[in-house]
Amino acid sequence: MPMNGSNAVDSRVLTTDVGERPNRLKDLLNAPFPFYLNDDRKNTVLVVAISGFVTLFLYLFKTESELPFANELEWLHGLITLAVLSFNILVLPRLLPAWMDPVAWNVWKYIVLNLVHLLLIWILATITEKIFFCPADMAWTTIAVHASKQVLIKGIIPITLTTLFLRARLLQQNLEEAIRTNQELQKIQSLKRESVRGANPVTLYSDTSESLTLNLPDLLYIEADDNYATVVWREQEVLQKKLLRVNLKNLESQLNNSFMLRCHRSYIVNINAIGAISGNTNGYKLKINGSDFSIPVSRPKGREVMEKISQLRNMMELS
């Protein structure tokens, strides 16, 4: 019997691990990623730089090809790379604005686009070499296989370097934005520290007959789960929680206050409850004062949250 119990535990652990792996992979693929430099002018410079690097790399590290005519065509592959990247990065977003929206860009879409880069470069290289450079009696399949090897082997390094560059740039931008916004938060807290502590009662109504009355400055955040919401506030330095049957949109309309921020589809947060903001390649997180809890900021809301905090600080300085 003990042996059977042990096997049951092992099975549960194994099932949990197997179930968590797809979720971790899904989260990784859906993680935010920059659409290159998010600016046409800068992306044009980036496309030219990548194409120039590819051309230089092909010349410096070229190997003797089994197809003699292909030994002096490094310039051609550079031009093809320039044409494909220019179309995919500068033109395609205008043709497919919904799918290629920079705000919704993520790791999965970035991987797909890089595969499209490689596929188009391979197709154009095969067609161009066959029509203009290779002997007439050479088979299409021979050229296609040769071009595929060249594209795969020599395309990995530019893609890897570009990915590392974009990821480092995203991390730097998020960190800099988080630092600036933390400075804004400190100014807000110093400007209104005393007045915020004053009485400002608010009553939150649920879809049922239940309601909750609390002091608005004591409200920390509200977390939603479908048609239910958990209200979290601090009362005499003790954290309090209450579950209400009401959706977050309804509560947002009830909390018509400049200090309340909708930072995520599942969260409303009180600006005065934010102790610090951290930023990394996955976006921003808001650390709640006096707790270890952090609230995620959804990617579409990131810029809005930062601007709202800055506007609120300016408004308070003028008042």
Side-chain angles (χ1 to χ4, degrees):
M1 291 300 292
M3 184 65 70
N4 292 337
S6 177
N7 289 338
V9 172
D10 292 341
S11 299
R12 288 195 297 270
V13 172
L14 180 60
T15 302
T16 301
D17 290 342
V18 172
E20 287 178 351
R21 287 172 190 167
N23 290 333
R24 286 198 293 267
L25 178 59
K26 183 179 179 181
D27 290 342
L28 176 63
L29 293 176
N30 289 327
F33 202 81
F35 184 78
Y36 295 91
L37 300 180
N38 294 327
D39 179 89
D40 281 349
R41 184 179 299 177
K42 293 179 180 178
N43 280 339
T44 300
V45 175
L46 180 64
V47 165
V48 172
I50 294 174
S51 304
F53 172 82
V54 169
T55 306
L56 182 62
F57 179 82
L58 291 175
Y59 273 108
L60 293 178
F61 299 98
K62 64 181 178 180
T63 56
E64 195 70 20
S65 172
E66 67 273 13
L67 303 180
F69 74 87
N71 286 326
E72 299 300 327
L73 295 182
E74 290 81 5
W75 60 272
L76 176 64
H77 288 271
L79 287 178
I80 291 174
T81 300
L82 177 63
V84 169
L85 294 183
S86 297
F87 178 78
N88 287 347
I89 297 176
L90 301 174
V91 178
L92 202 56
R94 292 178 170 80
L95 302 178
L96 301 171
W99 192 79
M100 302 190 74
D101 182 5
V103 175
W105 199 249
N106 55 28
V107 173
W108 168 245
K109 291 183 178 181
Y110 178 74
I111 292 173
V112 171
L113 186 59
N114 275 284
L115 292 176
V116 172
H117 292 337
L118 296 177
L119 178 62
L120 290 180
I121 291 172
W122 169 66
I123 291 174
L124 289 178
T126 300
I127 294 174
T128 307
E129 290 182 6
K130 172 60 181 175
I131 294 177
F132 296 105
F133 297 99
C134 79
D137 59 347
M138 187 169 290
W140 277 93
T141 54
T142 302
I143 301 172
V145 170
H146 165 75
S148 65
K149 291 179 182 178
Q150 295 297 311
V151 170
L152 288 176
I153 294 174
K154 298 176 181 178
I156 292 175
I157 293 179
I159 289 176
T160 301
L161 292 177
T162 302
T163 302
L164 293 174
F165 166 72
L166 294 176
R167 187 174 178 82
R169 187 172 181 273
L170 175 63
L171 176 60
Q172 180 183 8
Q173 288 179 332
N174 286 352
L175 287 174
E176 289 175 352
E177 190 68 34
I179 290 172
R180 285 196 296 269
T181 309
N182 278 322
Q183 293 172 347
E184 302 288 349
L185 284 172
Q186 290 174 1
K187 292 177 182 177
I188 289 174
Q189 291 167 1
S190 62
L191 284 169
K192 288 288 185 177
R193 186 170 291 123
E194 293 304 322
S195 60
V196 163
R197 289 175 183 170
N200 187 4
V202 62
T203 300
L204 303 177
Y205 298 95
S206 69
D207 295 336
T208 63
S209 58
E210 195 172 17
S211 64
L212 171 64
T213 300
L214 51 79
N215 190 24
L216 187 58
D218 294 333
L219 177 62
L220 300 180
Y221 63 91
I222 302 174
E223 180 179 3
D225 185 6
D226 292 332
N227 292 322
Y228 290 87
T230 301
V231 182
V232 182
W233 73 99
R234 182 177 286 109
E235 186 174 320
Q236 296 180 353
E237 304 305 320
V238 178
L239 288 182
Q240 306 286 343
K241 294 183 179 181
K242 186 174 181 62
L243 182 67
L244 298 176
R245 182 178 174 81
V246 59
N247 61 46
L248 204 60
K249 186 175 182 180
N250 189 334
L251 288 176
E252 187 178 15
S253 65
Q254 296 183 47
L255 291 168
N256 186 16
N257 185 279
S258 299
F259 287 92
M260 295 298 137
L261 278 177
R262 176 76 175 269
C263 62
H264 190 275
R265 59 186 175 87
S266 300
Y267 289 96
I268 293 175
V269 64
N270 186 346
I271 291 179
N272 292 290
I274 303 173
I277 298 178
S278 61
N280 56 33
T281 54
N282 292 324
Y284 303 104
K285 285 190 175 182
L286 312 176
K287 188 177 184 305
I288 300 301
N289 270 328
S291 75
D292 296 328
F293 188 72
S294 294
I295 294 176
V297 177
S298 63
R299 188 173 183 183
K301 289 284 186 179
R303 178 60 57 184
E304 179 183 339
V305 168
M306 303 304 166
E307 290 177 352
K308 179 70 178 292
I309 292 175
S310 180
Q311 291 170 2
L312 185 58
R313 190 268 300 172
N314 292 335
M315 180 186 70
M316 293 170 64
E317 285 186 333
L318 292 174
S319 61

